[in-house]
């Protein structure tokens, strides 16, 4: 009898991988499943995602590897941009195409009316989170109550719609339109579509959702899992953006080697020891480098006349 283990190729070991993978997540795959697959393909020791994207949504899912995971929380707080297809004339039990259609009504609006209504949703608005969500009530996610046929009271939450515009309108041939939305964290695009439908008097639900940006990171240049799989194993880490791609909003500071050594030991760097061009106001968060070529040391905050280390990286 042949030992089956002798026919299997040896499993390659995990490796240190640092950076941000701009993944174009496909439909039907959860964020966690996408992370597991990407981590396996990259043979990475450490990885984490930066907020979930529903299985029925596609688009940009930044995945952090190695030292980049120290900054993943920043992306959780970042604004997001989506392109969404809205079906007018019917609500659904889930707010999207996954649910059963309910409350069907005639569609009497036109493109101009929709554009007028969209303007009402710019700025700060209040949303009641959907029952089909992962928010918890008494320790249980809301979707568990919803699947059991229960509806529980949810408090409205304040979110910000930074921009909303129409990209396309199929009326009168079909009761759909496409919008682009840039919003604060915690915004439910499903709920936004439903609220727009109610404002139009006909009800609505989402039929497609694609995320195109997270903070300063954009879908342009993102890769698919299939593209990673097709790439030679040795070249796959090169598909990641560098760790400091997460820190573009922070001004750079270049330290000399002596100051860099102190910074990496957790010591503050007095303003007089910073380069003359580093004009940092109080409370400014800066990305800190040393050497030539420059290597990222971490981030520091200017406080009480000194640059104080907040998060260090070891690469």
């Amino acid at each position: 009898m042949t030992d089956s283990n002798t026919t299997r190729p040896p499993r390659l070991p995990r490796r240190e991988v640092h950076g941000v993978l701009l993944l174009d997540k496909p439909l039907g795959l959860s964020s966690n499943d996408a992370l597991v697959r990407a981590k396996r393909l990259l043979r990475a020791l450490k990885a984490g995602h930066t907020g979930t994207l529903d299985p029925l949504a596609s688009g940009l899912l930044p995945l952090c590897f190695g030292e980049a995971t120290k900054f993943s929380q920043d992306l959780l707080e970042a604004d997001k941009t989506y392109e969404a297809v809205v079906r007018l004339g019917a609500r659904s039990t889930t707010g999207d195409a996954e649910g059963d259609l309910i409350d069907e009504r005639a569609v009497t609006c036109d493109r101009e009316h929709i554009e007028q209504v969209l303007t009402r949703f710019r700025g700060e608005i209040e949303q009641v989170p959907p029952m089909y969500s992962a928010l918890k009530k008494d320790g249980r996610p809301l979707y568990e109550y919803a699947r059991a046929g229960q509806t529980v009271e949810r408090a409205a939450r304040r979110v910000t719609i930074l921009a909303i515009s129409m990209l396309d309108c199929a009326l009168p041939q079909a009761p759909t339109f496409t919008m682009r939305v840039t919003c604060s964290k915690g915004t439910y695009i499903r709920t936004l579509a439903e609220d727009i439908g109610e404002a139009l008097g006909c009800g609505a639900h989402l039929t497609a959702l694609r995320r195109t940006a997270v903070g300063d990171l954009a879908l342009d240049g993102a890769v698919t899992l299939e593209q990673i799989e097709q790439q030679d194993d040795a070249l796959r880490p090169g598909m990641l953006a560098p760790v400091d791609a997460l820190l573009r909003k922070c001004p750079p500071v270049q330290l000399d080697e002596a100051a860099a050594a102190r910074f990496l030991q957790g010591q503050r760097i007095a303003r007089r020891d910073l380069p003359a061009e580093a004009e940092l106001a109080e409370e400014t968060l800066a990305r800190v480098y040393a050497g030539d070529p420059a290597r990222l040391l971490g981030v520091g905050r200017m406080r009480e006349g000194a640059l104080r280390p907040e998060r260090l990286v070891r690469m």
Side-chain angles (χ1 to χ4, degrees):
M1 185 173 180
T2 303
D3 185 352
S4 61
N5 288 332
T6 62
T7 63
R8 295 176 183 170
R11 178 175 292 182
L12 294 172
R14 297 284 182 177
R15 58 190 169 190
E16 293 280 355
V17 176
H18 305 286
V20 185
L21 179 68
L22 303 183
L23 182 68
D24 187 349
K25 188 191 80 67
L27 291 172
L29 194 66
S30 73
S31 297
N32 191 61
D33 287 343
L35 174 65
V36 169
R37 286 182 60 182
K39 184 178 180 182
R40 175 180 57 80
L41 289 168
L42 288 161
R43 297 196 285 114
L45 285 169
K46 185 178 181 182
H49 58 65
T50 56
T52 59
L53 191 57
D54 286 348
L56 289 181
S58 67
L60 184 61
L61 180 67
L63 301 177
C64 293
F65 293 86
E67 291 295 279
T69 59
K70 294 179 178 179
F71 305 99
S72 59
Q73 182 65 34
D74 298 341
L75 287 188
L76 286 171
E77 304 291 326
D79 300 328
K80 316 290 193 302
T81 299
Y82 299 89
E83 292 181 3
V85 180
V86 181
R87 160 75 155 83
L88 299 169
R91 294 168 50 235
S92 83
T93 52
T94 59
D96 57 25
E98 188 177 27
D100 298 325
L101 294 184
I102 55 175
D103 188 24
E104 297 190 50
R105 287 177 261 172
V107 179
T108 59
C109 57
D110 58 16
R111 179 177 185 134
E112 183 179 3
H113 187 195
I114 297 171
E115 289 181 329
Q116 290 173 351
V117 166
L118 292 183
T119 64
R120 302 182 201 169
F121 288 87
R122 293 193 186 114
E124 285 194 351
I125 63 171
E126 288 198 341
Q127 281 192 338
V128 176
M131 280 300 302
Y132 281 90
S133 68
L135 292 178
K136 291 187 176 180
K137 171 80 171 179
D138 298 329
R140 292 176 59 194
L142 290 177
Y143 62 75
E144 288 189 3
Y145 293 98
R147 289 171 181 169
Q150 302 175 41
T151 300
V152 299
E153 187 174 347
R154 292 97 67 203
R157 305 195 307 175
R158 188 166 290 275
V159 298
T160 303
I161 306 299
L162 299 162
I164 183 169
S165 60
M166 182 183 293
L167 297 179
D168 183 51
C169 183
L171 291 171
Q173 286 77 20
T176 63
F177 72 92
T178 303
M179 63 181 179
R180 178 182 289 133
V181 180
T182 299
C183 55
S184 64
K185 71 164 188 172
T187 303
Y188 287 94
I189 306 299
R190 283 178 290 152
T191 301
L192 179 63
E194 289 182 311
D195 291 345
I196 290 170
E198 290 308 306
L200 289 167
C202 58
H205 65 280
L206 278 187
T207 58
L209 183 64
R210 184 161 175 79
R211 188 158 69 188
T212 59
V214 177
D216 291 332
L217 303 178
L219 189 58
D220 295 344
V223 298
T224 64
L225 290 168
E226 289 72 21
Q227 287 173 320
I228 302 172
E229 195 163 13
Q230 292 164 8
Q231 181 64 277
D232 181 88
D233 175 76
L235 300 177
R236 287 174 184 169
M239 303 178 83
L240 275 62
V243 173
D244 57 4
L246 300 174
L247 304 171
R248 291 172 182 165
K249 289 186 176 180
C250 303
V253 173
Q254 179 83 16
L255 299 181
D256 61 33
E257 289 301 328
R262 287 165 27 223
F263 186 84
L264 288 174
Q265 292 171 359
Q267 299 178 26
R268 65 192 184 101
I269 308 301
R271 188 182 292 278
R272 65 176 178 274
D273 294 327
L274 297 176
E277 62 272 17
E279 298 179 359
L280 303 177
E282 282 288 293
E283 296 302 320
T284 298
L285 187 68
R287 48 191 160 106
V288 183
Y289 300 88
D292 185 17
R295 70 184 189 279
L296 180 68
L297 305 182
V299 294
R301 191 175 298 278
M302 200 68 192
R303 184 172 291 161
E304 297 178 353
L307 185 65
R308 301 168 184 264
E310 281 208 0
R311 277 171 285 179
L312 303 176
V313 299
R314 310 285 184 180
M315 295 185 292

